[in-house]
Amino acid sequence: MYKKVVSGIMLTILFICLLSVALNIQPVKSEPRTIIVPDDYPTIQEAINHANPGDIIYVKAGTYHENILVHKAVSLIGEDNNNTIIDGRNLGKTVHITANNVTLMNFKIINSKKEYTCAGIVLDGVSFCNISLNILTNNFDGLYAEHSTCNVIENNVFLANDWNGIHLKYCSNSNIINSNIILNCKNGINIEVDSNNNSLLYNHIANSEWDGIDLIGSIKNVIYGNTIKHCFTGIYIGLETDNMNIIYHNNFICNTYQVTCYSAPNFWDDGYPSGGNYWSDYTGVDLFSGPYQNETGSDGIGDTPYVIDECNVDHYPLMNPYTVTPPAPLIINATVDVNPKALNLRSRGKWITAYIELLEGYNIQDINASTVMLNDTVSAEPKPIAVGDHDGDGILDLMVKFDRASVISYILANINKTKLFDERFMAVTLTITGYLNDGILFQGTTTIRVLMPISFFVLRHWRYWRTLQIFPI
């Protein structure tokens, strides 16, 4: 009896263990791949539906009459933002993003439905998305976001959208709106309804029918380095509670009203000697300097404050427009390896393969593969692309391929061919560059040995050909 009980217990334990193992089986995670539209799928939506998170969807130039739902963390990259067009046909949201970690770049996005919450791009409760290098025109809003945080909206053009160029609403916090051009919209940028701690940097806003920037029910936003010109109102601050916004080093040029605010106290300068904003209607002079503007000599800052109202004063107005100089881009070093390591100029291979590793703390899957270039001249092929560990060092690398003939053409155009024929080989430095999805530039270098096999016939006549600079390649 005892043995039967023990046997029963052991079988039960074994069954539980097997069940636990079965329940913990994880599917093999597929490596990111590149899907090409229309080569692989005829529409962008079909490509999204068949993609896995992390995949790159590269869209060739053309007009795509679609209303797109981006419900996966993919990178959508157009070939050319003038000629890769997503046309919403006035039917709704042209591009509706509901997933985190989406990249959308290099498209022209047009014709959303002319209705509230419809826009060229809608960010719907998402975070860590990158919207860059797009042209948005003839939409209701160019971009509309609600309940969306920590997204980057940069280097886009918003042109002649019916309402707002960019519209953040309903607790859309901590977003970066950087280096966009916003022209001929009713409002340039509208930040409202508890959307706080956003950064508006280096944007150019002009010809807004109403306001360059609206702040309505929003606090603690940073507005820095923007040019706002020829709008009805430069900045409109709509509520008495819209306070603690930091606004300096902006250019307010020829707006009918530079600022309209309702006594909400905000900060309009960065102290001395950094200064405040440039106001085209400022009538003060610059004869003195110092924190109290009572020291001899001018300093580029007006001697008297620019008074908006009793609660809002630029104590150090700039005498000349602020020269917008965005900070130098961060460049991270990458480790690069190439195959083959020796390039025979007479061989018939198809590819030069490069393996890219990033520094610790950076994710190799964040590389925007469409931006990878060799010596700023030869672009990486759209595919094949793969993430792996080709050298077995425990660090993931991105594999990209370059067209071998293009690389050889570049090398021959930039080396001393006489030396190559004399010595039969030489080392050439290759530099691989590209961008992460957040705009950070990476760069890595390696060397490749270039070999020039010479036949007996060429060798016999080389001395004569050398004087004529004839290279029988």
Side-chain angles (χ1 to χ4, degrees):
M1 176 65 70
Y2 175 76
K3 289 183 179 179
K4 289 182 178 180
V5 171
V6 171
S7 297
I9 292 172
M10 293 300 293
L11 287 172
T12 300
I13 293 171
L14 178 61
F15 174 76
I16 291 171
C17 291
L18 291 172
L19 182 62
S20 298
V21 170
L23 291 175
N24 280 284
I25 292 174
Q26 300 293 326
V28 176
K29 185 178 178 181
S30 61
E31 299 295 348
R33 56 185 175 139
T34 297
I35 298 170
I36 299 178
V37 177
D39 295 6
D40 297 322
Y41 298 98
T43 68
I44 300 171
Q45 190 63 62
E46 285 186 67
I48 294 169
N49 293 343
H50 287 88
N52 295 315
D55 284 352
I56 297 168
I57 299 172
Y58 180 80
V59 183
K60 290 185 175 180
T63 300
Y64 299 84
H65 300 282
E66 302 187 53
N67 297 85
I68 295 166
L69 177 63
V70 187
H71 55 284
K72 300 174 182 177
V74 296
S75 294
L76 282 165
I77 299 169
E79 180 179 357
D80 172 358
N81 65 8
N82 277 306
N83 298 300
T84 311
I85 302 168
I86 306 175
D87 183 348
R89 302 162 292 173
N90 299 302
L91 294 179
K93 307 170 178 71
T94 304
V95 179
H96 186 188
I97 299 175
T98 60
N100 298 332
N101 298 295
V102 168
T103 294
L104 177 68
M105 64 185 298
N106 232 28
F107 290 94
K108 179 182 281 187
I109 299 170
I110 63 174
N111 295 336
S112 77
K113 187 175 183 180
K114 305 305 188 292
E115 184 177 280
Y116 191 68
T117 75
C118 289
I121 301 170
V122 174
L123 301 180
D124 191 351
V126 299
S127 299
F128 307 111
C129 294
N130 184 291
I131 311 298
S132 59
L133 299 173
N134 301 289
I135 300 172
L136 296 105
T137 185
N138 198 34
N139 303 287
F140 184 76
D141 285 341
L143 181 147
Y144 174 78
E146 59 180 46
H147 304 290
S148 294
T149 60
C150 302
N151 301 289
V152 176
I153 304 160
E154 63 181 358
N155 295 310
N156 302 284
V157 175
F158 297 85
L159 176 63
N161 296 286
D162 284 14
W163 205 254
N164 304 288
I166 299 172
H167 188 183
L168 306 186
K169 195 170 185 179
Y170 300 131
C171 303
S172 290
N173 303 318
S174 303
N175 298 286
I176 296 174
I177 301 173
N178 176 48
S179 299
N180 300 283
I181 298 173
I182 307 173
L183 305 175
N184 301 319
C185 301
K186 196 173 290 292
N187 298 306
I189 301 175
N190 187 351
I191 312 291
E192 61 174 334
V193 191
D194 299 317
S195 295
N196 308 318
N197 296 298
N198 296 288
S199 297
L200 283 59
L201 312 173
Y202 310 118
N203 300 288
H204 182 95
I205 304 169
N207 302 323
S208 296
E209 181 182 345
W210 289 356
D211 308 322
I213 296 175
D214 272 342
L215 297 176
I216 304 173
S218 298
I219 64 172
K220 297 182 180 178
N221 298 286
V222 175
I223 300 172
Y224 172 86
N226 303 280
T227 294
I228 306 167
K229 60 191 295 186
H230 300 300
C231 302
F232 184 74
T233 303
I235 290 185
Y236 177 87
I237 301 176
L239 301 175
E240 292 185 2
T241 54
D242 293 332
N243 55 25
M244 294 186 286
N245 296 290
I246 301 170
I247 306 163
Y248 71 100
H249 288 184
N250 302 284
N251 299 316
F252 294 88
I253 301 173
C254 298
N255 302 293
T256 305
Y257 297 95
Q258 304 282 43
V259 178
T260 296
C261 66
Y262 294 91
S263 298
N266 292 283
F267 303 99
W268 294 90
D269 61 70
D270 191 37
Y272 189 86
S274 178
N277 301 280
Y278 171 76
W279 310 90
S280 63
D281 59 346
Y282 177 68
T283 58
V285 297
D286 178 23
L287 301 176
F288 299 99
S289 60
Y292 302 101
Q293 293 295 292
N294 59 357
E295 301 174 16
T296 303
S298 62
D299 56 2
I301 291 174
D303 295 340
T304 54
Y306 184 92
V307 179
I308 300 163
D309 61 34
E310 61 182 4
C311 297
N312 292 276
V313 178
D314 184 346
H315 298 92
Y316 301 104
L318 305 178
M319 294 301 296
N320 296 295
Y322 180 72
T323 302
V324 177
T325 307
L330 174 65
I331 301 176
I332 60 173
N333 292 322
T335 300
V336 174
D337 194 13
V338 294
N339 184 38
K341 297 183 182 301
L343 177 60
N344 186 330
L345 297 182
R346 295 193 183 280
S347 65
R348 294 189 175 184
K350 186 175 182 181
W351 308 112
I352 301 295
T353 303
Y355 300 92
I356 305 164
E357 291 182 359
L358 297 180
L359 295 173
E360 184 177 357
Y362 293 94
N363 187 345
I364 198 70
Q365 297 185 18
D366 287 339
I367 290 180
N368 180 348
S370 70
T371 67
V372 176
M373 297 192 75
L374 184 147
N375 287 41
D376 291 327
T377 304
V378 183
S379 297
E381 296 294 308
K383 60 181 186 181
I385 294 171
V387 173
D389 182 14
H390 90 285
D391 55 1
D393 63 356
I395 301 172
L396 290 179
D397 50 58
L398 176 70
M399 181 204 74
V400 296
K401 292 181 180 288
F402 299 93
D403 178 71
R404 188 186 189 100
S406 298
V407 174
I408 289 174
S409 294
Y410 169 81
I411 289 173
L412 290 175
N414 291 274
I415 62 172
N416 184 332
K417 289 192 280 291
T418 301
K419 181 179 178 182
L420 175 61
F421 271 77
D422 284 343
E423 300 182 3
R424 313 288 178 83
F425 71 89
M426 64 169 50
V428 174
T429 299
L430 302 180
T431 300
I432 308 295
T433 59
Y435 289 90
L436 307 188
N437 288 327
D438 60 6
I440 293 176
L441 175 68
F442 71 84
Q443 176 177 294
T445 60
T446 187
T447 57
I448 189 169
R449 285 170 60 89
V450 177
L451 308 178
M452 183 68 253
I454 298 179
S455 68
F456 176 77
F457 175 80
V458 171
L459 185 62
R460 185 176 179 182
H461 296 87
W462 168 236
R463 189 171 296 179
Y464 171 69
W465 286 344
R466 189 180 193 277
T467 61
L468 301 178
Q469 291 291 283
I470 296 174
F471 303 98
I473 296 175

